[in-house]
Amino acid sequence: MLNDTYRHKGLRKQLAALLKEKGIESAEVLKAIETVPRHLFLNSSFIERAYQDIAFPIGAGQTISRPHTVAFQTELLELKRGDKVLEIGTGSGYQTCVLLEMGVKVFTIERQKELFDKTKIFLPSIGYDTKFFYGDGYKGLPVFAPYDKIIITAGAPSIPEALLEQLKIGGRMVIPLGDKVQIMTLIEKTAGRQFEKTEYGEFKFVPLLENKEWGD
Ligand code: SAH
């Protein structure tokens, strides 16, 4: 792979070990973190720090989440090979690649044109291809619904109704809920209009923005 060295691989192993210490248990998730070359997602000035557990700017005022956050959300989804996954907030595409490494089908939506354009070209260039959509994640993607799993990678003030509808019965949605800080929240759809909610502590995300605020 493009500019991926043994040194980078070594750093990824160390990162996976660190995430294990921080409580990530899934061997598949740790393996995915060990596989996706995170340094290729960052501006070159950050490359030395790509495998520390920190967030970074990715342009358009957005950030690539901390590896721990990516691993935590991925683990909560309890992915099975072949699952159909809807991702809101493509951003750099790093989380998308971690999902793809888990053997699932990913439909990913981004509302920032600049990031959408960049990532839909960049991911295939490093060997990851999937379905990219430019649009408003609040609306989801009804054409391909229902989804086994839905992941939101931006802080949402409330749970978008359309996403609840597009989740399969028995499906899981992982969404950071809140304004200034977010509570990582798991929503399980138990029946047509029935949901179970479990909270998993505080995280920090850039905001999920609604259509009316576009143009920023
Ligand atoms: N998963 C990304 C992190 C993205 S940060 C990564 O691994 O790099 C959150 C992303 O959500 C940003 O790119 C932001 O532009 C996007 N976003 C915010 N509101 C959105 C919306 N309503 N629909 C789709 N994407 C949105």
Side-chain angles (χ1 to χ4, degrees), residues 58 62-65 70 87-96 109-112 115 135-138 153-154 206-210 214:
I58 53 172
Q62 305 304 322
T63 54
I64 174 171
S65 305
V70 172
E87 178 189 38
I88 312 298
T90 314
S92 69
Y94 176 72
Q95 168 79 70
T96 316
I109 311 179
E110 173 57 54
R111 68 176 278 283
Q112 293 272 2
L115 290 173
D136 181 8
Y138 269 92
T153 72
V206 295
L208 185 71
L209 297 174
E210 281 195 75
W214 285 36

Side-chain angles (χ1 to χ4, degrees), residues 19 25 29 40 43 48 69 111 126 149-150 157 176-177:
L19 297 186
E25 290 175 357
V29 172
L40 300 179
N43 294 334
E48 290 303 311
T69 304
R111 68 176 278 283
I126 59 163
K149 311 284 159 68
I150 299 180
L177 279 176

Side-chain angles (χ1 to χ4, degrees), residues 143-186:
V143 225
F144 298 101
Y147 302 94
D148 299 291
K149 311 284 159 68
I150 299 180
I151 177 172
I152 291 89
T153 72
S158 62
I159 306 170
E161 187 61 32
L163 299 185
L164 289 174
E165 274 164 29
Q166 292 169 34
L167 189 62
K168 263 186 202 169
I169 293 173
R172 295 162 78 85
M173 177 189 320
V174 175
I175 179 167
L177 279 176
D179 286 331
K180 288 225 159 53
V181 286
Q182 290 80 34
I183 305 295
M184 191 63 77
T185 307
L186 168 69

